[in-house]
């Protein structure tokens, strides 16, 4: 392929690995920096090991105006000049590449482990070569950025937190009550998912996809099914596509309801906390009506869906949704109409538009800061190709905006589910899925409730996974929480954290 | 204030009676599997081959009826792979949410009955029976088990009415409730939390991951669940329904008597 030629993929279509643009490192870096400066999104950036210690770096650039995904690559060995100084969106991706393949991004401003995983077999470790890291390295056991001066102190929280949540470590540098800097150390949840996927798919794969981030079962399972179907050259039947979309919106409703309830809880506004606690469960119960599992386990299967809705069940679901809309409106209205709540939500944890852009944040967090991005509209697949999704945004970027935005998205989801169920196409539930095409690559993007879920799957000569890359929205958004905490009261951390509502295992994989 | 009261009235009372008087579970709920080994065709391995977590144990040709087909609930993801694969309908899901057990072996299901969790012994019950404080530790859990445990604190399940509460510090706790396959990266933190719980202490493993490693069993990054410390209660599922967890906790406390 000539230098400068572009390799465009769309959702649902695979391309030959050989067709992926190969550029010299300098051109590769320049292209990415230019495109991202021109408002393209770096959807994924990762290593694919090749023979002889060479690592192929593969980048996926998203062009939201045209719904196109561009693949480009370059080769590196041992080290390469880091992209991050010019393109901060690459920051976590380059740390991950360094950790997985021992490839050093030279000049990276923050080259720390991202999830404390062991390097891939045969790859050297870029961390601890100098003995600074204990072997095997432990999350949280690292040099943290520190601030010195009178009145400056350090607060360490986690990995085990006060509530029933996943583990992670937060290290605050504070001047009195004011947070100067927050560093987040994750990796406690690392289960080795990507490594295990190589050579697949196996009979376990779909179950690992469903539990990548257990509250985003539908989001990740949809992305997986889309990637697999693209590689196999098939497509789920229309009825299955609509049912997948219904399940995705139910997952969003449950997630957002839970987040609003938890926000209310964190400021001690108990009525909404208690109402939303119950209502979230009722949305989960709707998913269970669909497929028997409150988290949507078993709903998606490569080629289609595992469960159908009878006409009677459609009517039942629509009725229950009407009741839920009524109840959830009451609970949420109470939250936003209470001046004490507004006082606690407004101007807390403000994340400016520019920061979101630079860091490549996604989902409700980005939209609450004014970025009109939504994979359902920008990279439509399945039922989203024919459904118009209004993308709500807020300008303020504070806790209030992130809460308000969730409520707006819930109303959209309720409307979308109604439309999807009323116009449910007839037909089969599952297409036959054949073997995967050899030496091909497919990209899928799904708007999960936390933001864009991006999967990139490539196959070897036998049609087995050579590499399977998962980018959970939380992988992008944890950096946003750090930035939002600057100059805030440390006592506002739980509130800020809840307003982002991120996944630990989705990040740690 | 008035608005809050009006809304409170409108939202109504939402707490479930427990044990439930009518089933709050949907028709498609996948509860404890029912095995009918008599339907098995000699030499058929379809269910075992389809199972993603090796939860199915086949006795082989010539085995007695009870030995012919068994299912380890501790490994089971309650997915439909075996049910779909079986040509004769020998495996089916029931709506039975009561699945918790005291012994690991009691999770191995044969036929329809299961030995459910027993009450902790009398001496321990005297100390913990009326007021149980638990510290939850997620060690690689995907946030589904964690969510289903958390849900017990909502008005629907109202855990507090049974004298059970989740606390922040392990030093204030009578036991640990562990979820996740126990990642290597969380092992040390979990050990420290366990050591910080004063004796006598309980350990409760919730979910396929914590019991057997679940879909991550065998990964070098995880320890295939809680190992090396005695477990007092196993609640299988992926994730278990909140009712299953609540039922297990109440059996452990001796507030529900055993029925199979």
């Amino acid at each position: 392929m000539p230098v400068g030629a572009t390799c465009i993929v769309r959702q649902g279509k695979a391309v030959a690995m050989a067709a992926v643009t190969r550029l010299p490192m300098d051109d590769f870096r320049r292209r990415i920096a230019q495109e991202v400066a021109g408002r393209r999104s770096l959807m994924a950036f990762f290593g694919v090991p090749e023979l002889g210690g060479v690592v192929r770096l593969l980048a996926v650039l998203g062009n939201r105006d045209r719904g196109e995904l561009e693949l480009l690559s370059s080769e590196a060995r041992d080290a390469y000049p880091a992209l991050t100084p010019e393109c901060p969106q690459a920051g976590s991706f380059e740390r991950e590449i360094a950790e997985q393949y021992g490839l050093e991004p030279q000049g990276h401003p923050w080259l720390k482990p991202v999830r404390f995983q062991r390097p891939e077999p045969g790859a050297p470790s870029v961390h601890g070569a100098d003995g600074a890291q204990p072997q095997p390295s432990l999350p949280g056991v690292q040099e943290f950025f520190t601030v010195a001066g009178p009145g400056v102190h350090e607060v360490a929280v986690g990995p085990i937190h006060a509530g029933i949540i996943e583990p992670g470590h937060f290290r605050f540098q504070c001047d009195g009550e004011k947070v100067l800097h927050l560093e987040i150390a994750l990796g406690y949840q690392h289960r080795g998912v990507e490594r295990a996927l190589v050579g697949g798919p196996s009979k376990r794969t779909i179950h690992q996809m469903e539990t990548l981030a257990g509250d985003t079962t539908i989001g990740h399972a949809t992305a997986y099914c889309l990637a697999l179907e693209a590689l196999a050259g098939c497509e789920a039947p229309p009825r299955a596509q609509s049912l997948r979309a219904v399940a995705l919106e139910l997952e969003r409703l449950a997630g957002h309801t839970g987040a609003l309830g938890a926000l209310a809880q964190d400021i001690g506004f108990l009525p909404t906390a208690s109402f939303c606690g119950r209502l979230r469960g009722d949305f989960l119960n709707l998913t269970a009506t669909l497929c028997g599992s409150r988290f949507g386990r078993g709903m998606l299967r490569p080629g289609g869906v595992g469960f159908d809705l009878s006409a009677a069940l459609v009517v039942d679901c629509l009725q229950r949704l009407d009741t839920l809309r009524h109840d959830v409106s009451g609970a949420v209205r109470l939250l936003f109409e209470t001046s004490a709540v507004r006082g606690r939500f407004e101007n807390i944890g403000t994340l400016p538009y520019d920061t979101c852009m630079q860091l490549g944040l996604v989902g409700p967090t980005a939209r609450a800061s004014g970025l009109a991005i939504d994979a359902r509209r920008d990279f439509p697949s399945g039922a989203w190709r024919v459904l118009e999704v209004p993308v709500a945004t807020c300008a303020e970027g504070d806790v209030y905006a992130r809460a308000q935005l969730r409520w707006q998205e819930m109303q959209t989801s309720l409307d979308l589910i109604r439309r999807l169920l009323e116009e449910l196409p007839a037909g089969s539930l599952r297409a036959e899925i054949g073997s995967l095409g050899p030496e091909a690559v497919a990209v899928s993007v799904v708007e999960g409730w936390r933001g864009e879920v991006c999967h990139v799957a490539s196959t070897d000569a036998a049609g087995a996974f050579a590499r399977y890359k998962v980018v959970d929205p939380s992988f992008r958004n944890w950096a946003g929480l750090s930035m939002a905490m600057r100059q805030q009261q440390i006592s506002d951390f739980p509130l800020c954290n809840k307003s982002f509502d991120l996944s630990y295992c989705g990040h740690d994989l | 204030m008035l608005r809050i009261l009006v809304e409170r009235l409108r939202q109504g009372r939402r707490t479930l009676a427990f044990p439930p008087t009518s089933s709050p579970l949907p028709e498609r709920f996948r509860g404890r599997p029912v095995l009918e080994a008599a339907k098995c065709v000699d030499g058929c391995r379809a269910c075992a081959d389809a199972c993603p977590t090796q939860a199915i144990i086949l006795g082989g040709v010539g085995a007695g009826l009870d030995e012919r087909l068994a299912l380890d609930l501790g490994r089971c993801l309650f997915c439909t792979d075996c049910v779909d694969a079986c040509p004769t309908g020998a495996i089916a899901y029931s709506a039975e949410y009561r699945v918790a057990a005291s012994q690991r072996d009691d999770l191995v299901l044969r036929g329809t009955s299961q030995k459910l969790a027993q009450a902790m012994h009398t001496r321990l019950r005297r100390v913990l029976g009326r007021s149980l404080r638990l510290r939850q530790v997620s060690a690689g859990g995907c946030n589904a088990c964690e969510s289903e445990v958390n849900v017990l604190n909502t008005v629907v399940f109202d855990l507090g009415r049974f004298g059970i509460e989740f606390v922040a510090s392990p030093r204030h706790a009578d036991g640990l409730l562990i979820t996740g396959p126990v990642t290597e990266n969380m092992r040390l933190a979990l050990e420290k939390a366990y050591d910080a719980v004063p004796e006598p202490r309980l350990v409760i493993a919730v979910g396929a991951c914590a019991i057997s490693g679940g879909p991550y069993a065998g990964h070098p990054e995880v320890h295939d669940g809680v190992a090396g410390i005695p477990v007092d209660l196993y609640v299988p599922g992926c994730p278990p329904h909140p009712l299953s967890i609540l039922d297990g906790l109440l059996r452990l406390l001796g507030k529900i008597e055993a029925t199979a």
Side-chain angles (χ1 to χ4, degrees), chain A residues 25 93 122 151 195 218 316 327 338 355 413 430 467 488 504:
Chain A
M25 184 52 77
F93 289 123
R195 185 194 50 72
I218 303 294
D316 176 45
D327 286 355
T338 302
T355 310
S413 293
R430 224 162 145 174
R467 179 80 167 95
Q488 300 294 303
Y504 297 76

Side-chain angles (χ1 to χ4, degrees), chain A residues 116 161 163 166 187-189 191 195 203-204 207-208 211 214-215 278 290-292 294 297 308 326-327, chain B residues 3 10-11 14 28 30 49 51-52 81 135 138 140-143 148 183 185 215-217 219-221 238:
Chain A
F116 296 86
H161 303 150
E166 298 176 65
Y188 297 93
Q189 300 284 69
R191 297 158 293 176
R195 185 194 50 72
K203 57 186 178 180
R204 270 209 204 170
H207 303 286
Q208 296 192 341
T211 52
D215 48 21
R278 185 270 294 188
L290 199 58
C291 66
R294 282 157 53 95
R297 307 283 158 85
D308 196 9
H326 192 61
D327 286 355
Chain B
R3 272 210 304 260
R10 220 176 55 78
Q11 296 272 347
R14 296 293 179 171
R28 291 174 181 175
R30 293 188 288 279
D49 289 344
C51 178
D81 293 351
R135 167 70 245 194
S138 167
C142 73
N143 205 30
E148 295 300 51
T183 53
N185 285 355
Y216 303 96
H219 284 203
E221 295 84 355
C238 185

Side-chain angles (χ1 to χ4, degrees), chain B residues 56-121:
Chain B
I56 292 173
I57 308 142
L58 296 178
V61 183
L65 210 53
D66 271 4
E67 298 302 313
R68 206 185 280 175
L69 173 65
L71 194 155
D72 181 357
L73 289 178
R75 289 171 169 270
C76 184
L77 304 182
F78 291 74
C79 72
T80 57
D81 293 351
C82 58
V83 179
D84 293 344
C86 178
T88 58
I91 308 177
Y93 282 103
S94 74
E96 180 56 77
Y97 67 85
R98 295 172 296 181
V99 285
S102 300
Q103 304 289 326
R104 180 67 183 83
D105 289 344
D106 293 344
L107 289 174
V108 180
L109 198 65
R110 291 184 169 84
T112 51
S113 65
Q114 183 197 354
K115 189 178 173 196
L116 293 173
Q118 308 283 300
M120 51 184 152
H121 63 78

Side-chain angles (χ1 to χ4, degrees), chain A residues 338-495:
Chain A
T338 302
S339 55
V341 170
R342 290 195 75 122
R344 288 290 286 117
F345 281 7
E346 283 179 339
N347 300 314
I348 301 292
T350 304
L351 198 60
Y353 175 92
D354 290 341
T355 310
C356 285
M357 278 297 282
Q358 280 168 6
L359 295 175
L361 304 191
V362 293
T365 300
R367 291 191 285 274
S369 291
L371 256 75
I373 57 171
D374 188 319
R376 289 172 295 176
R377 184 196 64 183
D378 301 340
F379 306 105
S381 61
W384 307 114
R385 288 173 298 187
V386 288
L387 264 182
E388 198 181 329
V389 181
V391 179
T393 58
C394 296
E396 291 80 8
D398 54 4
V399 170
Y400 185 82
R402 287 188 284 276
Q404 182 62 241
L405 191 95
R406 286 183 200 279
W407 172 228
Q408 289 181 33
E409 294 194 3
M410 286 171 67
Q411 296 171 77
T412 305
S413 293
L414 286 162
D415 294 340
L416 288 169
I417 296 177
R418 170 162 286 281
R419 273 199 59 187
L420 283 160
L421 287 179
E422 281 174 353
E423 297 165 15
L424 203 58
S428 66
L429 293 176
R430 224 162 145 174
E432 196 65 43
I433 183 156
S435 53
L436 309 185
E439 294 185 332
V441 56
V443 184
S444 56
V445 190
V446 173
E447 188 70 25
W449 69 278
R450 288 195 180 92
E452 282 168 7
V453 171
C454 180
H455 287 201
V456 188
S458 72
T459 51
D460 60 17
F465 290 145
R467 179 80 167 95
Y468 197 102
K469 180 81 206 100
V470 175
V471 187
D472 184 85
S474 298
F475 186 74
R476 326 296 305 267
N477 283 1
W478 276 109
L481 175 60
S482 282
M483 298 306 287
M485 274 312 292
R486 290 199 177 167
Q487 305 299 317
Q488 300 294 303
Q489 300 270 304
I490 190 168
S491 50
D492 279 334
F493 175 68
L495 182 61

